[in-house]
Amino acid sequence: MYVPIILGTAREGRQSEKVANYMLKAAMDYGLETEIIDVRDFRPPATDSTGASPLAQALGAKIARADGVIIVTPEYNHGYPGELKMALDLLYGQYARKPLGICGVSAGGLGGARAVEQLRLISVEFRMVPIREALYFPNVKDSFDEKGGIKDAQYGKRVKSFLDELTWYAKALKASR
């Protein structure tokens, strides 16, 4: 089962990269085929909304192949990053009837909760199925050790529950696509 992880920010010094790498390892350990799709690699010109560019075609091929998608997004000013919005808007049909798991990231105590809720709303427009479980990574600068490991061992249980739900929906929806 192929479930890519979209890293939703292109900012320099981004802390959400730690979360994306943590989720990559967790998904691989869970038995999923996965990779990080970095929005830095798929930044279209602001005027490209056709989905016809080589960037959009490359991204579209990955999402079309996916059985589900995980988005790791920071919260910037109570929302998700513009680069993520632009990358999502390059495609449409490739997202349909696929489950979406969202991981919110923030420097503060809410763990990107507002960005997660916004992504749930727009994912429905893409005809995705946002799963109930979400993962929140508050105070991200203090949450990982120098080797990239998460300090709070309780995340292992949360991640398993998240991946259990995501893969359940991925199997169920794949059979119906």
Side-chain angles (χ1 to χ4, degrees), residues 102-150:
I102 307 169
C103 302
V105 181
S106 72
L110 294 179
R114 293 168 288 226
V116 169
E117 292 308 312
Q118 289 174 17
L119 282 171
R120 284 180 200 260
L121 289 172
I122 68 151
S123 69
V124 172
E125 178 58 30
F126 288 117
R127 300 181 315 175
M128 296 182 88
V129 179
I131 66 170
R132 182 189 168 283
E133 293 291 327
L135 293 172
Y136 300 95
F137 294 85
N139 306 308
V140 68
K141 286 184 180 181
D142 300 323
S143 297
F144 291 86
D145 63 28
E146 59 281 343
K147 294 181 181 177
I150 197 150

Side-chain angles (χ1 to χ4, degrees), residues 44-156:
T47 56
D48 181 4
S49 62
T50 66
S53 70
L55 279 175
Q57 295 296 312
L59 180 59
K62 290 178 182 291
I63 301 302
R65 181 175 163 246
D67 297 302
V69 176
I70 296 170
I71 293 178
V72 174
T73 183
E75 182 176 311
Y76 297 149
N77 300 313
H78 293 218
Y80 58 92
E83 300 99 352
L84 178 57
K85 176 69 169 148
M86 290 173 66
L88 291 171
D89 283 350
L90 281 175
L91 309 175
Y92 186 76
Q94 296 92 329
Y95 297 116
R97 297 178 181 93
K98 294 180 182 177
L100 171 65
I102 307 169
C103 302
V105 181
S106 72
L110 294 179
R114 293 168 288 226
V116 169
E117 292 308 312
Q118 289 174 17
L119 282 171
R120 284 180 200 260
L121 289 172
I122 68 151
S123 69
V124 172
E125 178 58 30
F126 288 117
R127 300 181 315 175
M128 296 182 88
V129 179
I131 66 170
R132 182 189 168 283
E133 293 291 327
L135 293 172
Y136 300 95
F137 294 85
N139 306 308
V140 68
K141 286 184 180 181
D142 300 323
S143 297
F144 291 86
D145 63 28
E146 59 281 343
K147 294 181 181 177
I150 197 150
K151 292 179 181 177
D152 183 349
Q154 292 299 312
Y155 271 94

Side-chain angles (χ1 to χ4, degrees), residues 154-170:
Q154 292 299 312
Y155 271 94
K157 293 177 188 174
R158 293 180 202 138
V159 169
K160 183 180 182 317
S161 178
F162 176 90
L163 293 173
D164 284 346
E165 184 177 1
L166 186 69
T167 56
W168 186 93
Y169 275 100

Side-chain angles (χ1 to χ4, degrees), residues 1-3 23-34 67 163 167 171:
M1 185 169 303
Y2 175 61
V3 180
M23 291 303 298
L24 178 71
K25 182 179 181 330
M28 289 170 47
D29 290 348
Y30 191 83
L32 296 176
E33 179 186 353
T34 189
D67 297 302
L163 293 173
T167 56
K171 289 174 188 171

